[in-house]
Amino acid sequence: MRGARHFVLAAGGTGGHIIPAFALATELKKRGHYVALITDERGAAIPGTFEGEEKHILPAGRLTRNPLGWLGAAKNILAGRAMARRLYESFQPEAVIGFGGYPALPALLGALRDGIPTAVHEQNAVLGRVNRLLASKVDAIATAYKQIGRLKESHLPKVHLVGNPVRESVELLRAQPFPALSEDGIFRVLVTGGSQGAGILSEVVPDGLALLPLSFRRRMQVTQQCREEDIERVRTRYADLAIPADLATYIPDLPERLGWSHVVIARAGASTIAELTTAGRPAILVPLPIATDDHQTANAREMAASGGARVIRQAQFTPAELAKQMQKLGLEPDALMNAAGRARSAGYPNATRDLADLVERLGSGLGGEAIPVPATPQARPAAQGAG
């Protein structure tokens, strides 16, 4: 095995992009390598990630359907590409890995221009816009699901199914048993709506829990992420129901809360699914209906098929429907344990390791020749998106 090498990770400014990049960076550093991050101002500010690490903010043009913005976007992309190439002159990366989002585009274009090996990692079950633009040009495509929408058949030879890397604190939960639950024990519910929260969860969840049998409700303890404008109203509602509730706009110790939760009610973002299936926690998922290409519904597909999650479309997400699904999961401890095991079976616990292996193989070998990327289990196009 060669010594220290340099890698650049490029990711958009959301937790869904940054968290898997951070997990990969942590693993590469453990292996003795050096890592630099390219992102935008939002990505650089996400707490608990890349703190004290080398970060570079690049202009990133957003490609919209409005032609009036294309010229400005192109200028920003070209400026970002030039900045990335200057970084590569000094940092000399052996590979550049993109995690989606517009900041990844100029970084990867710069690497392609300079002949640096490249890969993209797709966290969602539908190939994102930037990854679609570059899929035919990069050397490898790492995926998190068996079925991928918007993936072309011609790209399959370079596809590697690795899963979605999660934080080390979440990986450690896999070795812990599912929290014991007796018939009269505390039943812990975690409600999270992603980085921006979810107003629909604040509207429906308290009223849904209110419909549960009193004996069940008295055992409940809730941790819920709320938007700032919702938090006091939700707090009052839980107080009226006599349900202990810990509410916050941001949950800094989310892995710890996940570890002792019996059921999670959440959106179906890629990082959320990865954490649930790594830890083995049953869930009620409410996909974000306006997500691009409805990718959150696609994200939930494998976990739901395994029996580890119940999916409720937002249009059908009512207090009565939530209460019905909660009773199916929570009133029978054996059913809950079974769902937890099925959620665990849908996970890819070695995602970080496998992605790091792929990245190391992708980088330049001795004598400057590229190390071949051997075949690994591949994802396949989803039926509706293979064209």
Side-chain angles (χ1 to χ4, degrees), residues 268-293:
S271 289
T272 297
I273 299 293
E275 291 174 351
L276 291 170
T277 55
T278 297
R281 293 298 180 271
I284 295 172
L285 301 173
V286 187
L288 178 66
I290 61 172
T292 305
D293 294 318

Side-chain angles (χ1 to χ4, degrees), residues 39 48-49 72 104 114 172 197 226 228 263 266 268 278 295 320 330 345-346 351 371 377 385 387:
T39 186
T49 64
D114 289 346
L172 293 173
C226 298
E228 186 69 40
V263 169
T278 297
H295 68 254
S345 73
I371 298 175

Side-chain angles (χ1 to χ4, degrees), residues 169-295:
S169 55
V170 176
E171 288 182 353
L172 293 173
L173 295 177
R174 195 169 179 86
Q176 299 180 15
F178 186 73
L181 182 64
S182 61
E183 290 187 1
D184 57 352
I186 296 174
F187 189 93
R188 298 183 177 92
V189 180
L190 174 64
V191 185
T192 176
S195 60
Q196 302 300 317
I200 190 70
L201 299 183
S202 294
E203 294 172 16
V204 172
V205 173
D207 290 346
L209 301 187
L211 297 178
L212 294 171
L214 182 59
S215 59
F216 190 14
R217 205 167 67 220
R218 283 175 171 169
R219 299 167 49 205
M220 285 199 159
Q221 181 175 313
V222 176
T223 297
Q224 182 163 344
Q225 179 194 22
C226 298
R227 293 177 177 176
E228 186 69 40
E229 61 268 29
D230 297 330
I231 196 165
E232 290 306 320
R233 173 178 56 81
V234 176
R235 182 175 284 118
T236 299
R237 180 63 171 140
Y238 280 126
D240 291 341
L241 295 169
I243 296 177
D246 184 6
L247 310 181
T249 57
Y250 173 70
I251 304 175
D253 57 343
L254 186 62
E256 180 180 349
R257 304 297 183 113
L258 178 62
W260 54 245
S261 296
H262 295 106
V263 169
V264 179
I265 303 171
R267 288 298 197 191
S271 289
T272 297
I273 299 293
E275 291 174 351
L276 291 170
T277 55
T278 297
R281 293 298 180 271
I284 295 172
L285 301 173
V286 187
L288 178 66
I290 61 172
T292 305
D293 294 318
D294 197 21
H295 68 254

Side-chain angles (χ1 to χ4, degrees), residues 2 5-7 93-95 115-117 359-371:
R2 295 184 58 207
R5 298 151 72 184
H6 291 193
F7 297 97
E94 298 201 8
I116 301 169
V359 168
E360 284 188 323
R361 295 195 301 264
L362 187 68
S364 299
L366 293 173
E369 296 180 358
I371 298 175

